[in-house]
Amino acid sequence: MTQFRNPVLPGSHPDPSVCRAGPDYYLVTSTFEYFPGLPIYHSRDLVHWRPAGHVLDRPSQLPLQGVRASGGLYAPTIRHHDGVFYVVCTLVGGTRESGNFVVTATDPEGPWSEPHWLPEAPGFDPSLFFDDDGRAWWTATREVRDGRTEVYLREFDVRSLSLVGEEHVLFRGAMHDAVWAEAPHLYKVDGRYVLLCAEGGTDFEHSVVVAFADEVTGPYRGSKLNPVLTHRHLGRSYPVAATGHADLVCTQHGQWYAVLLATRPYGGYYYNLGRETFLVPVSWENGGPVFSPGTGRLESSYPVPDLLVHPWSEPLQTDDFDAPELDAAWMFLRTPEEEFWSLTERPGHPRLRVRPESITELVTPSVVVRRQQHQNFHASCVLEFEPAGPAEAAGMVLLQNNDNHFRLLLGAGREVTLVRRAGGREEVLGKTQVAEGTVRLGFEAVGQDHQALVASGSGEWQLLGESFDGRVLSTPVAGGFTGVHIGLYATGDGAPSDTWADFDSFTYRALGEAPR
């Protein structure tokens, strides 16, 4: 292997942060309203990443109940110092707890501590910096007015996990009338302090900017080369957009790389996969970082880092649910306060309890989802379900948020219905009857052209309704900060129930895309 392909983490993996501990690299990304929160990925070569658990995997750690779509966990930072891993993050819009917090672990695969909330730390997008004199520093962003922000710094006491000492305002943006100077990360390179920030918002105008200081508290001066990375000048037809929110890491061999987010629009300026994690080489000239030397653009491929290539086993295309716990790819919508699923009552079949909650509400419905990670994909499930009431239904969802999604559900009378919900308004796109017994349900997409599939037992797939446009699931249409999630769902649509839906398997695979 001489080249690697971007993105290194496809699908909704925004706001990446990375650290190195010896030969091992660990990366976290935002998860917003999904539980468990903040996936940990592990790599030995910066290219191949394996799931290594989640930072917040206990309900006590993550109060997401009632959080709005694209609320919840924003922009974590992971750091390693003196044998301890630290993650700092912001919970936005919480109905129980909100604000900035820190969690710690001696093993990045867990267990992680309960959150230590920091009411003295305003703003969002926090980061930690451990200086070579033993002191630690906290940086974060706060809004001043109308998207104008400022980056501030305070000392961080690692013993009490609290902010101490005087506050210093470091930066208000590189560009004239800059908005959303955020995601600040501090580094020390060749004796000088380097402040790396995102700027311009998280969509098309996104960028990376840098400032420098001789003292950690400043003053910081922006580089004459700012922005040091952006794609906004390349136009909306360019295949990669919205580059920004970078974090730097130096390998054990002295090479520098950045992880950052970007989008891959398709079918026009629409990106159903959300913001994904990319890797880019970085060199240093005159004390400043040069992203993607030689091109200045985030490329689809680069030479592999000077590290021993270390691939992991590829995930199976079909999950037969034979393990005692759900695979790390699966997530819940907000924090479950009761176990509405079971992998033990009928081994090999995840059971979802039919409950009144619906994915159209800001609740925790009976749904488990995983990220869409390819523009062309097939996703399907095998379902056994006998509704006991007229409103009971179970099947699959293509979920952007509560007001923008597609539902393919088996309901009363053995009727399978395809429903589009766009902007909160619903339309039935197709119906069909299926025979008693097992039913298979599926979605396929080639670009923005989607179709729903139905089969009775082991029979042939049948198209349900006409092909439909998936752009309603893209962030430019639906809003928010997440990509599409695909999953299994059961609901009584407001009515209580004692019924369960049994899913025998779930298959997800890419269609017609080159292997990674």
Side-chain angles (χ1 to χ4, degrees):
M1 180 180 181
T2 59
Q3 297 276 123
F4 73 87
R5 293 184 58 218
N6 269 317
V8 292
L9 285 175
S12 186
H13 291 96
D15 309 329
S17 176
V18 65
C19 73
R20 180 173 68 87
D24 297 290
Y25 299 84
Y26 296 96
L27 184 150
V28 295
T29 69
S30 297
T31 43
F32 299 95
E33 70 265 38
Y34 289 95
F35 179 93
L38 308 184
I40 288 272
Y41 290 95
H42 172 220
S43 178
R44 289 285 178 85
D45 59 12
L46 287 173
V47 171
H48 300 94
W49 296 90
R50 71 172 182 93
H54 289 77
V55 176
L56 305 175
D57 58 5
R58 305 187 299 274
S60 62
Q61 295 174 299
L62 187 52
L64 289 175
Q65 295 85 350
V67 166
R68 69 180 186 274
S70 287
L73 295 178
Y74 281 37
T77 297
I78 185 169
R79 293 292 182 257
H80 178 252
H81 177 72
D82 199 19
V84 178
F85 290 87
Y86 298 81
V87 168
V88 293
C89 191
T90 313
L91 197 163
V92 175
T95 61
R96 301 184 184 182
E97 297 277 2
S98 283
N100 289 306
F101 63 88
V102 56
V103 290
T104 62
T106 55
D107 183 344
E109 299 192 28
W112 288 79
S113 70
E114 293 292 308
H116 183 89
W117 296 92
L118 297 166
E120 73 274 24
F124 54 95
D125 289 11
S127 185
L128 290 178
F129 167 65
F130 293 90
D131 208 342
D132 48 22
D133 62 0
R135 299 174 77 180
W137 299 90
W138 165 282
T139 56
T141 298
R142 61 189 174 207
E143 186 176 8
V144 178
R145 60 177 177 83
D146 302 328
R148 269 64 174 181
T149 56
E150 61 184 18
V151 172
Y152 73 92
L153 173 142
R154 285 185 69 185
E155 190 166 0
F156 180 76
D157 187 328
V158 297
R159 294 177 297 276
S160 63
L161 300 180
S162 60
L163 305 191
V164 296
E166 183 182 357
E167 178 184 283
H168 304 267
V169 175
L170 305 186
F171 194 62
R172 292 190 172 91
M175 303 292 104
H176 181 67
D177 287 335
V179 295
W180 302 115
E182 55 191 349
H185 294 307
L186 267 179
Y187 317 88
K188 195 173 187 179
V189 181
D190 295 332
R192 189 162 68 152
Y193 295 93
V194 179
L195 176 64
L196 198 70
C197 292
E199 191 171 288
T202 62
D203 199 351
F204 181 73
E205 295 83 9
H206 210 26
S207 66
V208 181
V209 298
V210 65
F212 309 99
D214 294 325
E215 303 291 337
V216 68
T217 55
Y220 283 82
R221 295 180 175 85
S223 170
K224 295 179 180 179
L225 303 178
N226 280 327
V228 291
L229 182 67
T230 188
H231 278 198
R232 61 195 179 203
H233 62 296
L234 299 176
R236 293 179 184 266
S237 62
Y238 198 74
V240 177
T243 55
H245 204 113
D247 194 11
L248 297 171
V249 66
C250 184
T251 74
Q252 58 268 41
H253 303 309
Q255 287 183 306
W256 285 84
Y257 285 85
V259 294
L260 69 156
L261 69 80
T263 61
R264 292 183 292 164
Y266 58 104
Y269 192 73
Y270 305 94
Y271 44 95
N272 299 35
L273 300 178
R275 297 170 298 156
E276 306 174 277
T277 290
F278 292 70
L279 180 71
V280 60
V282 175
S283 65
W284 292 84
E285 294 183 8
N286 299 320
V290 178
F291 285 71
S292 193
T295 73
R297 296 186 303 269
L298 177 57
E299 303 292 349
S300 61
S301 65
Y302 290 101
V304 297
D306 185 20
L307 298 167
L308 183 65
V309 175
H310 195 290
W312 310 97
S313 58
E314 291 291 327
L316 297 175
Q317 292 184 347
T318 297
D319 190 340
D320 290 317
F321 302 103
D322 292 327
E325 297 181 351
L326 287 171
D327 185 81
W330 293 103
M331 296 175 290
F332 303 104
L333 191 56
R334 304 179 185 86
T335 305
E337 295 188 279
E338 60 176 339
E339 286 202 359
F340 51 78
W341 70 98
S342 173
L343 292 172
T344 58
E345 290 191 7
R346 189 181 177 189
H349 295 72
R351 287 191 148 182
L352 291 184
R353 185 185 307 155
V354 176
R355 298 161 59 237
E357 288 81 0
S358 165
I359 60 170
T360 63
E361 305 168 302
L362 300 182
V363 295
T364 304
S366 293
V367 65
V368 292
V369 296
R370 53 147 296 159
R371 296 168 182 85
Q372 177 186 336
Q373 294 183 278
H374 304 85
Q375 296 174 7
N376 308 329
F377 71 90
H378 167 98
S380 62
C381 70
V382 179
L383 170 66
E384 295 181 36
F385 178 57
E386 293 296 335
E392 294 185 359
M396 290 184 62
V397 292
L398 287 179
L399 178 65
Q400 169 56 250
N401 55 41
N402 55 298
D403 278 336
N404 298 272
H405 58 255
F406 292 87
R407 307 192 301 268
L408 180 63
L409 304 180
L410 172 64
R414 305 293 298 175
E415 186 171 70
V416 175
T417 304
L418 173 64
V419 175
R420 173 175 58 204
R421 184 174 175 90
R425 302 181 64 179
E426 297 198 349
E427 178 184 1
V428 175
L429 300 184
K431 291 184 179 182
T432 191
Q433 300 290 130
V434 292
E436 295 292 327
T438 300
V439 63
R440 290 182 293 138
L441 304 174
F443 288 108
E444 286 190 349
V446 176
Q448 296 294 355
D449 293 328
H450 292 59
Q451 58 187 15
L453 304 172
V454 180
S456 293
S458 58
E460 295 292 323
W461 284 115
Q462 302 295 322
L463 181 64
L464 178 58
E466 301 293 330
S467 296
F468 57 91
D469 193 336
R471 290 174 178 86
V472 66
L473 301 175
S474 69
T475 300
V477 175
F481 300 117
T482 65
V484 173
H485 291 73
I486 307 167
L488 312 175
Y489 174 51
T491 182
D493 199 21
S497 173
D498 295 322
T499 308
W500 292 81
D502 288 353
F503 296 87
D504 184 39
S505 64
F506 177 89
T507 296
Y508 176 88
R509 65 175 184 269
L511 294 178
E513 295 188 15
R516 298 192 55 74

PDB file of all heavy atoms in Angstrom, residues 299-326:
ATOM      1  N   GLU A 299      -6.860  16.596  -0.892  1.00  0.00           N
ATOM      2  CA  GLU A 299      -6.902  15.667  -2.019  1.00  0.00           C
ATOM      3  C   GLU A 299      -7.605  14.365  -1.631  1.00  0.00           C
ATOM      4  O   GLU A 299      -7.720  14.020  -0.455  1.00  0.00           O
ATOM      5  CB  GLU A 299      -5.489  15.370  -2.505  1.00  0.00           C
ATOM      6  CG  GLU A 299      -4.686  16.602  -2.904  1.00  0.00           C
ATOM      7  CD  GLU A 299      -5.230  17.278  -4.151  1.00  0.00           C
ATOM      8  OE1 GLU A 299      -6.088  16.697  -4.840  1.00  0.00           O
ATOM      9  OE2 GLU A 299      -4.763  18.397  -4.466  1.00  0.00           O
ATOM     10  N   SER A 300      -8.026  13.630  -2.658  1.00  0.00           N
ATOM     11  CA  SER A 300      -8.707  12.356  -2.432  1.00  0.00           C
ATOM     12  C   SER A 300      -7.736  11.253  -2.046  1.00  0.00           C
ATOM     13  O   SER A 300      -8.155  10.229  -1.493  1.00  0.00           O
ATOM     14  CB  SER A 300      -9.494  11.942  -3.676  1.00  0.00           C
ATOM     15  OG  SER A 300      -8.617  11.775  -4.778  1.00  0.00           O
ATOM     16  N   SER A 301      -6.450  11.430  -2.314  1.00  0.00           N
ATOM     17  CA  SER A 301      -5.464  10.428  -1.931  1.00  0.00           C
ATOM     18  C   SER A 301      -4.117  11.095  -1.710  1.00  0.00           C
ATOM     19  O   SER A 301      -3.824  12.151  -2.290  1.00  0.00           O
ATOM     20  CB  SER A 301      -5.347   9.320  -2.983  1.00  0.00           C
ATOM     21  OG  SER A 301      -4.837   9.826  -4.200  1.00  0.00           O
ATOM     22  N   TYR A 302      -3.301  10.457  -0.856  1.00  0.00           N
ATOM     23  CA  TYR A 302      -1.954  10.913  -0.549  1.00  0.00           C
ATOM     24  C   TYR A 302      -1.062   9.693  -0.327  1.00  0.00           C
ATOM     25  O   TYR A 302      -1.571   8.588  -0.049  1.00  0.00           O
ATOM     26  CB  TYR A 302      -1.938  11.742   0.746  1.00  0.00           C
ATOM     27  CG  TYR A 302      -2.597  13.083   0.674  1.00  0.00           C
ATOM     28  CD1 TYR A 302      -3.882  13.257   1.185  1.00  0.00           C
ATOM     29  CD2 TYR A 302      -1.952  14.189   0.142  1.00  0.00           C
ATOM     30  CE1 TYR A 302      -4.507  14.492   1.155  1.00  0.00           C
ATOM     31  CE2 TYR A 302      -2.561  15.435   0.106  1.00  0.00           C
ATOM     32  CZ  TYR A 302      -3.838  15.582   0.616  1.00  0.00           C
ATOM     33  OH  TYR A 302      -4.439  16.806   0.580  1.00  0.00           O
ATOM     34  N   PRO A 303       0.260   9.873  -0.366  1.00  0.00           N
ATOM     35  CA  PRO A 303       1.149   8.796   0.071  1.00  0.00           C
ATOM     36  C   PRO A 303       0.890   8.454   1.538  1.00  0.00           C
ATOM     37  O   PRO A 303       0.579   9.343   2.348  1.00  0.00           O
ATOM     38  CB  PRO A 303       2.551   9.377  -0.124  1.00  0.00           C
ATOM     39  CG  PRO A 303       2.376  10.452  -1.156  1.00  0.00           C
ATOM     40  CD  PRO A 303       1.012  11.025  -0.925  1.00  0.00           C
ATOM     41  N   VAL A 304       0.996   7.195   1.865  1.00  0.00           N
ATOM     42  CA  VAL A 304       0.753   6.775   3.244  1.00  0.00           C
ATOM     43  C   VAL A 304       1.816   7.389   4.153  1.00  0.00           C
ATOM     44  O   VAL A 304       2.951   7.659   3.727  1.00  0.00           O
ATOM     45  CB  VAL A 304       0.747   5.244   3.384  1.00  0.00           C
ATOM     46  CG1 VAL A 304      -0.386   4.631   2.574  1.00  0.00           C
ATOM     47  CG2 VAL A 304       2.089   4.657   2.955  1.00  0.00           C
ATOM     48  N   PRO A 305       1.484   7.639   5.414  1.00  0.00           N
ATOM     49  CA  PRO A 305       2.492   8.135   6.358  1.00  0.00           C
ATOM     50  C   PRO A 305       3.649   7.150   6.513  1.00  0.00           C
ATOM     51  O   PRO A 305       3.527   5.954   6.207  1.00  0.00           O
ATOM     52  CB  PRO A 305       1.708   8.269   7.664  1.00  0.00           C
ATOM     53  CG  PRO A 305       0.278   8.411   7.244  1.00  0.00           C
ATOM     54  CD  PRO A 305       0.137   7.567   6.015  1.00  0.00           C
ATOM     55  N   ASP A 306       4.746   7.651   6.998  1.00  0.00           N
ATOM     56  CA  ASP A 306       5.930   6.823   7.229  1.00  0.00           C
ATOM     57  C   ASP A 306       5.749   6.028   8.522  1.00  0.00           C
ATOM     58  O   ASP A 306       6.473   6.197   9.521  1.00  0.00           O
ATOM     59  CB  ASP A 306       7.180   7.708   7.312  1.00  0.00           C
ATOM     60  CG  ASP A 306       8.467   6.878   7.442  1.00  0.00           C
ATOM     61  OD1 ASP A 306       8.418   5.680   7.094  1.00  0.00           O
ATOM     62  OD2 ASP A 306       9.471   7.442   7.906  1.00  0.00           O
ATOM     63  N   LEU A 307       4.742   5.196   8.507  1.00  0.00           N
ATOM     64  CA  LEU A 307       4.392   4.336   9.627  1.00  0.00           C
ATOM     65  C   LEU A 307       4.099   2.947   9.076  1.00  0.00           C
ATOM     66  O   LEU A 307       3.664   2.810   7.932  1.00  0.00           O
ATOM     67  CB  LEU A 307       3.154   4.871  10.369  1.00  0.00           C
ATOM     68  CG  LEU A 307       3.284   6.256  11.009  1.00  0.00           C
ATOM     69  CD1 LEU A 307       1.905   6.771  11.418  1.00  0.00           C
ATOM     70  CD2 LEU A 307       4.219   6.212  12.213  1.00  0.00           C
ATOM     71  N   LEU A 308       4.320   1.935   9.880  1.00  0.00           N
ATOM     72  CA  LEU A 308       4.019   0.578   9.451  1.00  0.00           C
ATOM     73  C   LEU A 308       2.532   0.466   9.175  1.00  0.00           C
ATOM     74  O   LEU A 308       1.702   0.755  10.048  1.00  0.00           O
ATOM     75  CB  LEU A 308       4.434  -0.425  10.531  1.00  0.00           C
ATOM     76  CG  LEU A 308       4.245  -1.906  10.171  1.00  0.00           C
ATOM     77  CD1 LEU A 308       5.166  -2.295   9.015  1.00  0.00           C
ATOM     78  CD2 LEU A 308       4.529  -2.779  11.399  1.00  0.00           C
ATOM     79  N   VAL A 309       2.179   0.084   7.950  1.00  0.00           N
ATOM     80  CA  VAL A 309       0.761  -0.026   7.590  1.00  0.00           C
ATOM     81  C   VAL A 309       0.103  -1.066   8.478  1.00  0.00           C
ATOM     82  O   VAL A 309       0.612  -2.187   8.637  1.00  0.00           O
ATOM     83  CB  VAL A 309       0.609  -0.399   6.101  1.00  0.00           C
ATOM     84  CG1 VAL A 309      -0.856  -0.628   5.754  1.00  0.00           C
ATOM     85  CG2 VAL A 309       1.190   0.716   5.231  1.00  0.00           C
ATOM     86  N   HIS A 310      -1.019  -0.690   9.080  1.00  0.00           N
ATOM     87  CA  HIS A 310      -1.649  -1.557  10.081  1.00  0.00           C
ATOM     88  C   HIS A 310      -3.159  -1.599   9.842  1.00  0.00           C
ATOM     89  O   HIS A 310      -3.926  -0.940  10.534  1.00  0.00           O
ATOM     90  CB  HIS A 310      -1.358  -1.038  11.487  1.00  0.00           C
ATOM     91  CG  HIS A 310      -1.637  -2.027  12.574  1.00  0.00           C
ATOM     92  ND1 HIS A 310      -2.913  -2.420  12.929  1.00  0.00           N
ATOM     93  CD2 HIS A 310      -0.806  -2.719  13.382  1.00  0.00           C
ATOM     94  CE1 HIS A 310      -2.852  -3.283  13.907  1.00  0.00           C
ATOM     95  NE2 HIS A 310      -1.571  -3.494  14.215  1.00  0.00           N
ATOM     96  N   PRO A 311      -3.601  -2.392   8.859  1.00  0.00           N
ATOM     97  CA  PRO A 311      -5.057  -2.515   8.641  1.00  0.00           C
ATOM     98  C   PRO A 311      -5.699  -3.364   9.729  1.00  0.00           C
ATOM     99  O   PRO A 311      -5.046  -4.184  10.384  1.00  0.00           O
ATOM    100  CB  PRO A 311      -5.139  -3.198   7.278  1.00  0.00           C
ATOM    101  CG  PRO A 311      -3.871  -3.974   7.166  1.00  0.00           C
ATOM    102  CD  PRO A 311      -2.820  -3.172   7.894  1.00  0.00           C
ATOM    103  N   TRP A 312      -6.996  -3.150   9.918  1.00  0.00           N
ATOM    104  CA  TRP A 312      -7.794  -3.950  10.834  1.00  0.00           C
ATOM    105  C   TRP A 312      -8.754  -4.807  10.007  1.00  0.00           C
ATOM    106  O   TRP A 312      -8.931  -4.565   8.810  1.00  0.00           O
ATOM    107  CB  TRP A 312      -8.578  -3.067  11.802  1.00  0.00           C
ATOM    108  CG  TRP A 312      -7.756  -2.031  12.493  1.00  0.00           C
ATOM    109  CD1 TRP A 312      -7.615  -0.729  12.127  1.00  0.00           C
ATOM    110  CD2 TRP A 312      -6.932  -2.202  13.650  1.00  0.00           C
ATOM    111  NE1 TRP A 312      -6.777  -0.063  12.981  1.00  0.00           N
ATOM    112  CE2 TRP A 312      -6.336  -0.944  13.935  1.00  0.00           C
ATOM    113  CE3 TRP A 312      -6.645  -3.285  14.487  1.00  0.00           C
ATOM    114  CZ2 TRP A 312      -5.481  -0.747  15.018  1.00  0.00           C
ATOM    115  CZ3 TRP A 312      -5.793  -3.087  15.558  1.00  0.00           C
ATOM    116  CH2 TRP A 312      -5.220  -1.840  15.820  1.00  0.00           C
ATOM    117  N   SER A 313      -9.374  -5.755  10.628  1.00  0.00           N
ATOM    118  CA  SER A 313     -10.357  -6.567   9.917  1.00  0.00           C
ATOM    119  C   SER A 313     -11.525  -5.701   9.487  1.00  0.00           C
ATOM    120  O   SER A 313     -11.972  -4.813  10.227  1.00  0.00           O
ATOM    121  CB  SER A 313     -10.849  -7.715  10.796  1.00  0.00           C
ATOM    122  OG  SER A 313     -11.408  -7.216  11.993  1.00  0.00           O
ATOM    123  N   GLU A 314     -12.012  -5.927   8.282  1.00  0.00           N
ATOM    124  CA  GLU A 314     -13.126  -5.157   7.754  1.00  0.00           C
ATOM    125  C   GLU A 314     -14.423  -5.554   8.452  1.00  0.00           C
ATOM    126  O   GLU A 314     -14.625  -6.730   8.787  1.00  0.00           O
ATOM    127  CB  GLU A 314     -13.276  -5.398   6.248  1.00  0.00           C
ATOM    128  CG  GLU A 314     -12.150  -4.809   5.418  1.00  0.00           C
ATOM    129  CD  GLU A 314     -12.163  -3.290   5.414  1.00  0.00           C
ATOM    130  OE1 GLU A 314     -13.269  -2.709   5.472  1.00  0.00           O
ATOM    131  OE2 GLU A 314     -11.081  -2.693   5.370  1.00  0.00           O
ATOM    132  N   PRO A 315     -15.320  -4.620   8.705  1.00  0.00           N
ATOM    133  CA  PRO A 315     -16.608  -4.986   9.297  1.00  0.00           C
ATOM    134  C   PRO A 315     -17.409  -5.870   8.359  1.00  0.00           C
ATOM    135  O   PRO A 315     -17.334  -5.733   7.133  1.00  0.00           O
ATOM    136  CB  PRO A 315     -17.299  -3.629   9.518  1.00  0.00           C
ATOM    137  CG  PRO A 315     -16.614  -2.691   8.574  1.00  0.00           C
ATOM    138  CD  PRO A 315     -15.209  -3.175   8.445  1.00  0.00           C
ATOM    139  N   LEU A 316     -18.165  -6.786   8.934  1.00  0.00           N
ATOM    140  CA  LEU A 316     -18.994  -7.669   8.133  1.00  0.00           C
ATOM    141  C   LEU A 316     -20.135  -6.890   7.502  1.00  0.00           C
ATOM    142  O   LEU A 316     -20.688  -5.962   8.110  1.00  0.00           O
ATOM    143  CB  LEU A 316     -19.548  -8.804   8.997  1.00  0.00           C
ATOM    144  CG  LEU A 316     -18.510  -9.749   9.619  1.00  0.00           C
ATOM    145  CD1 LEU A 316     -19.204 -10.747  10.536  1.00  0.00           C
ATOM    146  CD2 LEU A 316     -17.715 -10.463   8.537  1.00  0.00           C
ATOM    147  N   GLN A 317     -20.497  -7.266   6.282  1.00  0.00           N
ATOM    148  CA  GLN A 317     -21.610  -6.589   5.614  1.00  0.00           C
ATOM    149  C   GLN A 317     -22.940  -6.912   6.280  1.00  0.00           C
ATOM    150  O   GLN A 317     -23.855  -6.081   6.274  1.00  0.00           O
ATOM    151  CB  GLN A 317     -21.655  -6.988   4.139  1.00  0.00           C
ATOM    152  CG  GLN A 317     -20.490  -6.461   3.321  1.00  0.00           C
ATOM    153  CD  GLN A 317     -20.622  -6.789   1.848  1.00  0.00           C
ATOM    154  OE1 GLN A 317     -21.449  -7.614   1.452  1.00  0.00           O
ATOM    155  NE2 GLN A 317     -19.818  -6.143   1.018  1.00  0.00           N
ATOM    156  N   THR A 318     -23.075  -8.118   6.825  1.00  0.00           N
ATOM    157  CA  THR A 318     -24.320  -8.530   7.467  1.00  0.00           C
ATOM    158  C   THR A 318     -24.091  -8.738   8.952  1.00  0.00           C
ATOM    159  O   THR A 318     -23.178  -9.477   9.353  1.00  0.00           O
ATOM    160  CB  THR A 318     -24.873  -9.822   6.843  1.00  0.00           C
ATOM    161  OG1 THR A 318     -25.193  -9.569   5.471  1.00  0.00           O
ATOM    162  CG2 THR A 318     -26.125 -10.291   7.558  1.00  0.00           C
ATOM    163  N   ASP A 319     -24.884  -8.068   9.752  1.00  0.00           N
ATOM    164  CA  ASP A 319     -24.871  -8.249  11.202  1.00  0.00           C
ATOM    165  C   ASP A 319     -25.965  -9.247  11.555  1.00  0.00           C
ATOM    166  O   ASP A 319     -27.154  -8.970  11.387  1.00  0.00           O
ATOM    167  CB  ASP A 319     -25.114  -6.909  11.898  1.00  0.00           C
ATOM    168  CG  ASP A 319     -24.869  -6.967  13.401  1.00  0.00           C
ATOM    169  OD1 ASP A 319     -24.883  -8.079  13.959  1.00  0.00           O
ATOM    170  OD2 ASP A 319     -24.678  -5.904  14.012  1.00  0.00           O
ATOM    171  N   ASP A 320     -25.548 -10.430  12.030  1.00  0.00           N
ATOM    172  CA  ASP A 320     -26.503 -11.461  12.429  1.00  0.00           C
ATOM    173  C   ASP A 320     -26.882 -11.362  13.898  1.00  0.00           C
ATOM    174  O   ASP A 320     -27.648 -12.194  14.399  1.00  0.00           O
ATOM    175  CB  ASP A 320     -25.931 -12.852  12.143  1.00  0.00           C
ATOM    176  CG  ASP A 320     -25.845 -13.136  10.656  1.00  0.00           C
ATOM    177  OD1 ASP A 320     -26.807 -12.799   9.937  1.00  0.00           O
ATOM    178  OD2 ASP A 320     -24.816 -13.673  10.212  1.00  0.00           O
ATOM    179  N   PHE A 321     -26.319 -10.387  14.596  1.00  0.00           N
ATOM    180  CA  PHE A 321     -26.665 -10.115  15.992  1.00  0.00           C
ATOM    181  C   PHE A 321     -26.438 -11.338  16.886  1.00  0.00           C
ATOM    182  O   PHE A 321     -27.220 -11.614  17.791  1.00  0.00           O
ATOM    183  CB  PHE A 321     -28.113  -9.626  16.101  1.00  0.00           C
ATOM    184  CG  PHE A 321     -28.385  -8.389  15.291  1.00  0.00           C
ATOM    185  CD1 PHE A 321     -29.062  -8.457  14.077  1.00  0.00           C
ATOM    186  CD2 PHE A 321     -27.939  -7.152  15.723  1.00  0.00           C
ATOM    187  CE1 PHE A 321     -29.303  -7.315  13.319  1.00  0.00           C
ATOM    188  CE2 PHE A 321     -28.178  -5.995  14.963  1.00  0.00           C
ATOM    189  CZ  PHE A 321     -28.853  -6.082  13.765  1.00  0.00           C
ATOM    190  N   ASP A 322     -25.344 -12.046  16.635  1.00  0.00           N
ATOM    191  CA  ASP A 322     -25.025 -13.209  17.449  1.00  0.00           C
ATOM    192  C   ASP A 322     -24.216 -12.848  18.690  1.00  0.00           C
ATOM    193  O   ASP A 322     -24.064 -13.671  19.589  1.00  0.00           O
ATOM    194  CB  ASP A 322     -24.244 -14.234  16.616  1.00  0.00           C
ATOM    195  CG  ASP A 322     -25.106 -14.857  15.527  1.00  0.00           C
ATOM    196  OD1 ASP A 322     -26.321 -15.011  15.763  1.00  0.00           O
ATOM    197  OD2 ASP A 322     -24.574 -15.168  14.447  1.00  0.00           O
ATOM    198  N   ALA A 323     -23.660 -11.643  18.731  1.00  0.00           N
ATOM    199  CA  ALA A 323     -22.878 -11.214  19.888  1.00  0.00           C
ATOM    200  C   ALA A 323     -23.808 -10.837  21.044  1.00  0.00           C
ATOM    201  O   ALA A 323     -24.981 -10.519  20.831  1.00  0.00           O
ATOM    202  CB  ALA A 323     -21.996 -10.029  19.511  1.00  0.00           C
ATOM    203  N   PRO A 324     -23.289 -10.849  22.279  1.00  0.00           N
ATOM    204  CA  PRO A 324     -24.152 -10.522  23.430  1.00  0.00           C
ATOM    205  C   PRO A 324     -24.517  -9.048  23.523  1.00  0.00           C
ATOM    206  O   PRO A 324     -25.442  -8.680  24.255  1.00  0.00           O
ATOM    207  CB  PRO A 324     -23.306 -10.952  24.638  1.00  0.00           C
ATOM    208  CG  PRO A 324     -21.890 -10.917  24.142  1.00  0.00           C
ATOM    209  CD  PRO A 324     -21.953 -11.300  22.697  1.00  0.00           C
ATOM    210  N   GLU A 325     -23.786  -8.177  22.783  1.00  0.00           N
ATOM    211  CA  GLU A 325     -24.082  -6.753  22.789  1.00  0.00           C
ATOM    212  C   GLU A 325     -24.126  -6.241  21.354  1.00  0.00           C
ATOM    213  O   GLU A 325     -23.579  -6.856  20.442  1.00  0.00           O
ATOM    214  CB  GLU A 325     -23.013  -5.972  23.572  1.00  0.00           C
ATOM    215  CG  GLU A 325     -22.949  -6.335  25.051  1.00  0.00           C
ATOM    216  CD  GLU A 325     -21.902  -5.522  25.782  1.00  0.00           C
ATOM    217  OE1 GLU A 325     -21.120  -4.807  25.094  1.00  0.00           O
ATOM    218  OE2 GLU A 325     -21.845  -5.592  27.010  1.00  0.00           O
ATOM    219  N   LEU A 326     -24.787  -5.118  21.182  1.00  0.00           N
ATOM    220  CA  LEU A 326     -24.828  -4.500  19.870  1.00  0.00           C
ATOM    221  C   LEU A 326     -23.428  -4.088  19.427  1.00  0.00           C
ATOM    222  O   LEU A 326     -22.603  -3.653  20.233  1.00  0.00           O
ATOM    223  CB  LEU A 326     -25.744  -3.269  19.882  1.00  0.00           C
ATOM    224  CG  LEU A 326     -27.247  -3.521  19.961  1.00  0.00           C
ATOM    225  CD1 LEU A 326     -27.984  -2.210  20.198  1.00  0.00           C
ATOM    226  CD2 LEU A 326     -27.758  -4.189  18.682  1.00  0.00           C
TER     227      LEU A 326
END
